Amino acid sequence: MVYNELINQEMFFLLAGPCVIEGEEMALNIAEHVKKVTDRLGIPYVFKGSFKKANRSRLDSFTGIGDEKALKILAKVRAEFGIPVVTDIHTERDAEMAAEYVDVLQIPAFLCRQTDLLVAAAKTGKIVNIKKGQFLSPESMKFAVDKVRESGDDRVMVTERGTTFGYQDLIVDYRGISIMQQACQCPVVVDVTHSLQQPNQASGVTGGQPALIETIAKAGIAVGADGIFIETHADPSCAKSDGANMLRLDLIEGLLERLVRIREAIR
């Protein structure tokens, strides 16, 4: 039912939350804040939080508070606020484990061609959100979507998160939104904050351009994206992952208000 609620509506939907679950209090606070805003604006909301971070530049980077502990926090967010939740998976075992706690399984961009992972996600019967690889054309995402559908799961969506531009930057080709909608025949999401990453920094810590969050988000809605993905934190400078490109939590209400006006204007 969640999938139909996301796609059968006139307003864009929102996937938003912290990059990684750092603790119960922070997750509940973010979910409560964003839900109040989205309820008022009529935006379908899915809480996002990674239960672990497997793709890290350095061995000493934060990866999580423990798989089961973080998944239970995601389940508590779902139960307490009555909203669906999404988390990343990296292995077939992750798919089976996370499916007990969440509504949407997200395939990281670097893993979007991993057949066994896509099939495992599909076999759970959960909604599957596949992030487009930074190295793939929009047309190529059709084959990732086909793997999920041919494994028995029609509830699939894809997410644009930027394309590699040189060694330390990403760029969003907005033609890809329409191309993927036509090629994949499923909802297409714009991952605003990851599109503004500056990876492969000499320090081993990914950089970002958060000042351009509104630019990317507005353009995504203007070209007809079905959903928006935003990572947010009360204090991004203290976030344990991806703080350099996250939106400060107190700024999300104003941004969403402006995005709603754009959506209404183009409708």
Side-chain angles (χ1 to χ4, degrees):
M1 188 60 182
V2 171
Y3 187 71
N4 291 333
E5 290 173 353
L6 292 179
I7 65 173
N8 294 331
Q9 36 77 35
E10 295 184 344
M11 184 55 65
F12 63 89
F13 58 88
L14 174 70
L15 284 70
C19 177
V20 62
I21 298 299
E22 300 173 8
E24 181 176 304
E25 184 178 3
M26 66 88 73
L28 293 174
N29 287 344
I30 291 173
E32 181 178 24
H33 181 90
V34 179
K35 186 176 187 299
K36 285 180 180 177
V37 173
T38 53
D39 281 353
R40 181 175 68 81
L41 296 174
I43 301 171
Y45 174 44
V46 180
F47 177 83
K48 183 269 169 182
S50 296
F51 74 94
K52 68 177 176 183
K53 300 298 293 183
N55 174 25
R56 308 293 280 150
S57 297
R58 298 181 354 189
L59 188 61
D60 61 352
S61 296
F62 179 79
T63 58
I65 59 174
D67 294 354
E68 187 175 7
K69 183 177 181 180
L71 286 168
K72 285 182 176 179
I73 290 172
L74 287 168
K76 184 168 184 176
V77 168
R78 179 172 61 176
E80 191 153 320
F81 298 106
I83 53 177
V85 296
V86 55
T87 199
D88 301 281
I89 59 171
H90 303 85
T91 67
E92 296 97 292
R93 177 182 174 275
D94 283 355
E96 183 178 357
M97 175 173 58
E100 297 183 25
Y101 300 90
V102 305
D103 304 277
V104 185
L105 299 177
Q106 184 164 278
I107 310 298
F110 284 130
L111 300 177
C112 68
R113 285 171 53 94
Q114 296 298 105
T115 301
D116 289 348
L117 181 60
L118 291 165
V119 171
K123 294 296 186 184
T124 68
K126 297 293 182 176
I127 300 170
V128 180
N129 180 29
I130 314 171
K131 288 199 170 184
K132 183 179 80 65
Q134 301 91 326
F135 44 85
L136 284 182
S137 69
E139 297 89 341
S140 298
M141 286 303 292
K142 174 185 183 300
F143 304 109
V145 169
D146 285 348
K147 290 177 183 179
V148 174
R149 287 186 173 137
E150 290 169 13
S151 299
D153 191 352
D154 289 328
R155 300 192 304 163
V156 60
M157 62 181 72
V158 296
T159 295
E160 165 64 45
R161 53 95 71 235
T163 300
T164 299
F165 188 68
Y167 287 119
Q168 296 178 325
D169 207 356
L170 299 167
I171 191 167
V172 178
D173 180 356
Y174 289 96
R175 298 173 300 177
I177 308 305
S178 178
I179 290 170
M180 287 191 288
Q181 286 170 332
Q182 294 301 313
C184 302
Q185 292 294 299
C186 70
V188 175
V189 179
V190 175
D191 182 342
V192 177
T193 48
H194 284 107
S195 295
L196 291 166
Q197 282 184 332
Q198 293 179 314
N200 306 319
Q201 298 297 308
S203 65
V205 178
T206 297
Q209 297 177 300
L212 294 175
I213 286 174
E214 185 155 337
T215 300
I216 299 294
K218 284 179 174 178
I221 295 300
V223 299
D226 300 287
I228 291 289
F229 179 110
I230 295 174
E231 288 189 338
T232 184
H233 195 283
D235 184 358
S237 67
C238 295
K240 296 184 182 296
S241 178
D242 280 0
N245 51 271
M246 294 171 80
L247 179 67
R248 209 173 69 220
L249 184 61
D250 64 344
L251 299 177
I252 200 165
E253 183 169 14
L255 173 61
L256 291 177
E257 288 174 344
R258 293 185 285 278
L259 296 183
V260 167
R261 290 199 293 271
I262 293 172
R263 179 69 170 221
E264 291 173 341
I266 66 171
R267 201 167 60 202

